[in-house]
Amino acid sequence: MKALIGLVVCAVALLSGCCTAGPAALSITTILQEPCTMTQGSELEGYCIDLLAEIAKKLGFKYEVHLVKDGKYGRQDESGNWLGMIGEVVRGEADLAVAALTLTAARELSVEMSTPFLQTGVGFILSRDLGSEESHFVSFLFPFSTEMWVGVLVAFLVTGLCIYLVARISPCEWADPETDEHSFTLLHSFWYITGALTLQGAGPHPKGLSGRIISAIWWVFAVVLLACYFSNFNTMLRSDTKHVSVMNFDELARQDVIDYGTVEGGTTFNFFKNSNNPTYRRIFQHMERKKSCVPSVEEGNRRAQEGNYAFIGEAASLDLAVARYCNLIRSSELIAMRGYSIAAPLGSPMMKNITVAILQLSESGELAYLQSKWWANSCMPDGGQAPQALQAHLLRGLFMLLALGCGLGLLIALLELASKARDQAKDQKKSCCSVLSAELSQRFRSGRANAGTETSEKSKA
């Protein structure tokens, strides 16, 4: 009887222990690749480690992360057996594979793949020393932005028109319209301010206060504008920013000067191997003939930095290399757009929840935050950024000063004419307004009459 009681007590103890132990921690396999998974002392960190922590927080599971034993992502050998992280998931050695695993049809047939958590494509990087600077016929316009050039043109036209009007209105510039010849025509007004832009000037110069105010403000405007232009132009000429002479895969395949390759046996390698595109087939044949493939992404980045080598890979890893190494630049063309996914054994009940968690993280902006965190650009060549075209809003104070000068000049010219009209009104015993109106009419009418007289005289001659 005592023995039976002891057996019952042991069974109850075992059952209670099983009930309180909780679910076992999931085994997660990954691979070292910056910035997805990196070592920090004895700990692992990176984009995929942070992503795994966020998913575990949402789904409420514990996990243990280990590095894949053979150091491979996942490919089939000659006998059809899977290697790398995919192999560990297929054999049951890992519950999940969280890394920069590309979603492919072959992998989808052997394991469960989640919705992609990161989109990427295939591009290539090479050294800036292999670039050639682009030449432009209008490169002299680059120091100023389009808005800035429009602002300068408007300021030029408005100032020329204001000088012309002041020269017509002010009695200090044109004392007697009936006897004196008017020297400041519209054409001469624009020629005068053009001379100021060349720092030379063109006579005759304004004699009245109103004309001199506009002229002085325009000279200040011209000097500051030229200083900004030549400063920015000099910076652009001295800039070391270069543009890649080989801009796309077609140009890469057509040349033989720069060698190129990718990670042997990876998804990018298989893409070129299985492609029916003539350009991509030519690239694969070149890599096979020259044996130019590399064993890892790190080796590809190193060879690209040494020069005369273009490393072909996925944009996610290439962008990180460009952000860290200032002497590298990535091609603008991306092909074979693809995504990185999490792998689980076939029939895994967790995959649906993992996919939902990834979508929630994407919708909340968490994935974008993680990408900006781990792909931050730490490259600042020559201690600064590439020079940019000068924007109009940076010199808005200068344009406001010019507008104020033109308005003040016109106001003073009108006051000078009003003072003269008032004196004439006293002498002629007429109203000041009528004399002022007659004076303005005579000044602008005489200009048209003089122009007509000159035209008739030229036609007679």
Side-chain angles (χ1 to χ4, degrees), residues 147-424:
E147 294 79 7
M148 186 67 181
W149 283 117
V150 171
V152 171
L153 179 60
V154 171
F156 177 83
L157 296 176
V158 171
T159 305
L161 182 61
C162 287
I163 290 183
Y164 170 74
L165 292 176
V166 164
R168 284 276 175 182
I169 295 172
S170 174
C172 298
E173 296 291 346
W174 196 15
D176 191 354
E178 295 180 354
T179 59
D180 296 342
E181 182 181 358
H182 184 252
S183 57
F184 261 95
T185 61
L186 185 60
L187 181 60
H188 178 75
S189 300
F190 286 116
W191 179 248
Y192 177 78
I193 61 175
T194 303
L197 286 175
T198 61
L199 302 180
Q200 295 296 320
H205 300 282
K207 296 177 290 185
L209 177 62
S210 55
R212 290 181 177 182
I213 288 177
I214 298 179
S215 177
I217 296 297
W218 175 254
W219 274 85
V220 172
F221 178 86
V223 170
V224 175
L225 191 71
L226 290 174
C228 294
Y229 174 84
F230 286 115
S231 175
N232 210 29
F233 189 57
N234 182 60
T235 304
M236 287 187 169
L237 290 178
R238 294 178 178 272
S239 174
D240 291 331
T241 303
K242 294 185 178 180
H243 305 273
V244 182
S245 56
V246 180
M247 298 300 296
N248 51 54
F249 282 94
D250 186 62
E251 295 177 358
L252 185 67
R254 291 178 182 275
Q255 57 81 43
D256 294 324
V257 178
I258 303 174
D259 199 9
Y260 49 87
T262 186
V263 176
E264 188 170 7
T267 54
T268 303
F269 178 87
N270 292 329
F271 166 76
F272 287 101
K273 179 180 179 181
N274 301 325
S275 177
N276 294 323
N277 187 296
T279 300
Y280 304 156
R281 291 294 303 171
R282 192 183 309 121
I283 290 176
F284 175 75
Q285 292 168 2
H286 171 92
M287 294 188 295
E288 285 287 284
R289 184 175 66 256
K290 295 291 187 67
K291 304 296 182 182
S292 56
C293 290
V294 292
S296 64
V297 174
E298 291 74 16
E299 177 65 16
N301 293 337
R302 186 190 64 80
R303 289 193 60 181
Q305 291 181 74
E306 292 178 351
N308 203 37
Y309 185 81
F311 175 58
I312 304 173
E314 293 176 346
S317 60
L318 300 184
D319 289 340
L320 179 68
V322 171
R324 293 188 175 180
Y325 307 112
C326 302
N327 62 327
L328 294 179
I329 190 168
R330 180 175 69 81
S331 64
S332 58
E333 181 188 30
L334 290 179
I335 60 174
M337 299 304 294
R338 58 189 66 180
Y340 292 152
S341 300
I342 296 175
L346 285 174
S348 173
M350 293 187 62
M351 187 50 64
K352 178 67 175 180
N353 294 332
I354 290 176
T355 295
V356 172
I358 292 174
L359 292 175
Q360 290 175 346
L361 291 173
S362 176
E363 293 170 357
S364 65
E366 187 65 26
L367 294 184
Y369 165 73
L370 292 179
Q371 187 171 358
S372 64
K373 173 184 176 181
W374 291 105
W375 271 268
N377 192 342
S378 60
C379 177
M380 294 291 289
D382 297 332
Q385 299 179 347
Q388 302 293 329
L390 188 65
Q391 301 296 323
H393 68 272
L394 298 176
L395 292 180
R396 57 178 176 267
L398 187 64
F399 285 99
M400 290 176 64
L401 177 64
L402 181 63
L404 181 63
C406 291
L408 182 60
L410 286 171
L411 178 61
I412 293 178
L414 288 172
L415 291 177
E416 290 173 345
L417 186 61
S419 177
K420 180 183 178 181
R422 187 184 62 181
D423 295 339
Q424 290 180 353

Side-chain angles (χ1 to χ4, degrees), residues 126-157:
L126 71 167
S127 174
R128 289 180 183 269
D129 296 336
L130 300 177
S132 62
E133 296 195 15
E134 291 181 315
S135 60
H136 297 271
F137 292 109
V138 292
S139 59
F140 63 90
L141 298 177
F142 290 171
F144 286 169
S145 64
T146 304
E147 294 79 7
M148 186 67 181
W149 283 117
V150 171
V152 171
L153 179 60
V154 171
F156 177 83
L157 296 176

